[in-house]
Amino acid sequence: MNIVNIQQIDLTHYGLPSHPCVFELDTQISSAEIPIEAMQIITWLQDTSWLATLDDIDKANYLACAEPTIRDLCNMITNEYLSASYTPGNLKDDLGEYLVSMNAQEALVQGLTHTKIPIAELWKEQIKGNPGFDFHTLSTSDIIVYGEAKYKSTQNGYYDAFNQIRDFINDNKMSRELRHLRVLATENAARNVLTDQLGFAAAFSVNTRNLPHIIENAIKYPTFSALLNYPEVYLITVEIV
């Protein structure tokens, strides 16, 4: 993954009120390196160093939740993308969303010095249909950033990401995750959520190199405005070239 651009967005350029923290981060992945990216996802999933800071009870609980998910996901990725039957350049929606999640989180960590929080699938009970946000980070302002990732093989996925975040806001999914995030982030950051001091990251695949046009359309998309009621907003594009 290469970060090709990081910039703060001036919303007044698009006829919107100014906002102190709206960032665009643009990343690229080579289609020829999808198996390498698949291996990196396995490494990403298997990294349980986050358990080291937990007490014995929390460690046992989260390890028991994470191990079956790690095993199943790693087996799926190995069978589909690291076997002799893999077709070069092929990327299905399942791995595509993990790629978007992983690279978006890594872009925030590398580009804006956020702190990584383990992906939600490793620590939340899996409920069929709309379980919650895909990834999280902790910003330098001690604000939890809730991330939603969308992969579309032939379209730009910002509208799905924005709509999903809007629905999660309406369902107050952020507060439902606090019992975990007070352990995995910080107590203060979790308490910040109670007063709407939180952020959102919309991460989505793009299928054209005209990124300014995509970002403009994204900002003008109706449900984008729901994110602007919060202190930090991040738009993260993932282009497969």
Side-chain angles (χ1 to χ4, degrees), residues 60-205:
N61 175 52
Y62 284 114
L63 185 60
C65 292
E67 281 184 331
T69 301
I70 293 171
R71 181 184 62 247
D72 292 347
L73 289 175
C74 290
N75 286 341
M76 178 273 290
I77 293 169
T78 299
N79 292 336
E80 291 191 14
Y81 297 95
L82 301 176
S83 66
S85 61
Y86 171 69
T87 302
N90 184 45
L91 180 60
K92 297 180 181 178
D93 288 351
D94 51 8
L95 187 73
E97 293 223 342
Y98 285 112
L99 274 179
V100 173
S101 287
M102 179 184 71
N103 285 288
Q105 186 185 62
E106 200 60 39
L108 289 170
V109 171
Q110 292 183 21
L112 295 174
T113 62
H114 285 209
T115 300
K116 188 182 301 184
I117 296 173
I119 67 162
E121 201 156 349
L122 299 184
W123 46 264
K124 285 195 301 190
E125 180 182 355
Q126 295 306 295
I127 303 171
K128 186 176 180 180
N130 219 23
F133 291 93
D134 295 317
F135 66 94
H136 305 72
T137 63
L138 184 66
S139 80
T140 56
S141 301
D142 210 23
I143 282 179
I144 294 171
V145 176
Y146 293 80
E148 183 63 22
K150 293 298 179 185
Y151 170 77
K152 296 284 186 180
S153 59
T154 58
Q155 297 173 297
N156 302 312
Y158 60 81
Y159 45 89
D160 281 345
F162 293 159
N163 290 343
Q164 188 73 88
I165 292 172
R166 176 206 56 197
D167 292 345
F168 285 161
I169 291 172
N170 291 340
D171 291 341
N172 199 18
K173 287 289 180 74
M174 301 84 70
S175 293
R176 297 185 191 186
E177 298 177 350
L178 284 181
R179 67 186 180 93
H180 299 290
L181 292 171
R182 72 187 302 182
V183 175
L184 300 172
T186 68
E187 177 81 18
N188 184 62
R191 291 193 175 279
N192 283 338
V193 175
L194 299 178
T195 57
D196 288 337
Q197 297 300 298
L198 54 98
F200 292 106
F204 48 91
S205 58

Side-chain angles (χ1 to χ4, degrees), residues 38-48 74:
M39 292 177 65
Q40 290 177 345
I41 290 177
I42 290 176
T43 300
W44 182 55
L45 292 168
Q46 291 177 333
D47 178 11
T48 56
C74 290

